[in-house]
Amino acid sequence: MTAPRVLPAPHGSPLDLGGRTALVTGAAGGIGRACALRLAAAGAKVRAVDRDAAGLETLVEQGRDLAGTVEPHVLDLTDLDAAELAAAGTDVLVNNAGVQLVRPIEEFPPDVFHTVLTVMLEAPFRLIRGALPHMYGQGWGRIVNVSSVHGLRASAYKSAYVAAKHGLEGLSKTTALEGAPHGVTSNCVNPAYVRTPLVEKQLADQAQAHGIPEERVLSEVLLQDSAVKRLIEPEEVAEAVAYLCAPQASFVTGTSLVLDGGWTAH
């Protein structure tokens, strides 16, 4: 699969983040890249966090002509102290970074399970912890956690990913309850399968786990429970993130914005 073209922000968008600082994790590709560009298009100064230095360089080039700026920040989120420090002074925090491994529980490497939980649950906690003092101090903040349909439903062979996303849902809700008196909202965005390298890599893993050819994985496994039989584009997720940062969403907090093509309608 080829990566989709990054779309510019819609004309007449109500989102104005001029003067705001946003931090996006996993920003070098996929959903994170789309979110970084969308927030920069709205005028934000975006701290683009990823361990992929080359990918961040490409992102900076893509964002060069936008209203805001994109600043690369090379960081491995397993360095939790550094992650918390990186979030200081941010007005908008998008916890997006993720990793995936598809294996039965009895074959799942414990060290990988630990890494998945560190990157996808403990690091968001530390980033939120680092961001809240500034947000509370100014009486405004937006936290968007890129969860998944797997934050609401489980799939076989994804024990670490499902556990991390379910935990992220709880963390997001707790943050919403604590942040409400301070003008801080916290929400999850829950896409089904998005056209990203993370999903593309799953095709081979899922084929091995289910014992079927790769060409059947997309229709018979990934999209089996979706009423809309296509992958979501990263830009669609970025628009949901942008909505949650807009003035019209100031009363939306502690919830999950589901973009799953009808998966959870079952």
Side-chain angles (χ1 to χ4, degrees):
M1 300 178 189
T2 56
R5 180 174 62 91
V6 175
L7 304 176
H11 293 295
S13 168
L15 182 60
D16 180 5
L17 293 176
R20 300 289 191 188
T21 296
L23 187 151
V24 180
T25 66
I31 295 171
R33 174 173 293 185
C35 288
L37 293 171
R38 180 64 181 92
L39 297 180
K45 174 183 176 182
V46 178
R47 296 179 190 169
V49 173
D50 205 293
R51 62 182 180 180
D52 179 2
L56 288 178
E57 289 181 12
T58 301
L59 172 65
V60 170
E61 285 299 317
Q62 287 183 302
R64 197 167 296 282
D65 297 325
L66 298 177
T69 60
V70 178
E71 299 181 355
H73 191 141
V74 179
L75 175 65
D76 187 330
L77 291 178
T78 59
D79 185 342
L80 296 170
D81 290 339
E84 184 169 329
L85 287 173
T90 55
D91 306 298
V92 175
L93 172 62
V94 181
N95 283 312
N96 164 74
V99 291
Q100 176 66 285
L101 180 67
V102 180
R103 293 286 189 281
I105 291 174
E106 70 275 16
E107 299 175 10
F108 206 101
D111 61 324
V112 177
F113 191 95
H114 174 74
T115 297
V116 172
L117 269 290
T118 300
V119 171
M120 294 172 54
L121 183 55
E122 194 167 0
F125 161 72
R126 295 293 294 270
L127 285 153
I128 292 170
R129 189 173 187 271
L132 284 181
H134 171 72
M135 293 181 179
Y136 284 3
Q138 68 182 1
W140 190 93
R142 296 291 178 265
I143 296 170
V144 183
N145 299 298
V146 179
S147 181
S148 165
V149 67
H150 285 111
L152 307 173
R153 298 288 189 271
S155 288
Y157 311 120
K158 297 183 179 180
S159 55
Y161 190 89
V162 171
K165 292 301 189 185
H166 273 66
L168 187 63
E169 295 282 328
L171 174 63
S172 184
K173 291 174 183 176
T174 300
T175 305
L177 295 177
E178 295 185 13
H182 305 280
V184 176
T185 65
S186 175
N187 294 284
C188 287
V189 171
N190 299 65
Y193 291 103
V194 184
R195 193 186 304 277
T196 65
L198 187 70
V199 168
E200 291 173 2
K201 181 181 180 298
Q202 282 189 55
L203 295 177
D205 285 347
Q206 289 277 15
Q208 179 181 351
H210 291 273
I212 60 176
E214 282 189 40
E215 58 268 20
R216 290 172 52 192
V217 171
L218 186 62
S219 60
E220 297 182 23
V221 179
L222 270 61
L223 300 180
Q224 180 181 17
D225 293 319
S226 177
V228 181
K229 299 299 184 182
R230 68 170 177 85
L231 296 175
I232 307 170
E233 301 299 337
E235 291 77 21
E236 293 178 275
V237 183
E239 283 302 319
V241 172
Y243 163 71
L244 291 171
C245 296
Q248 295 88 337
S250 62
F251 204 70
V252 181
T253 195
T255 194
S256 301
L257 180 55
V258 183
L259 312 169
D260 69 351
W263 185 329
T264 55
H266 289 283

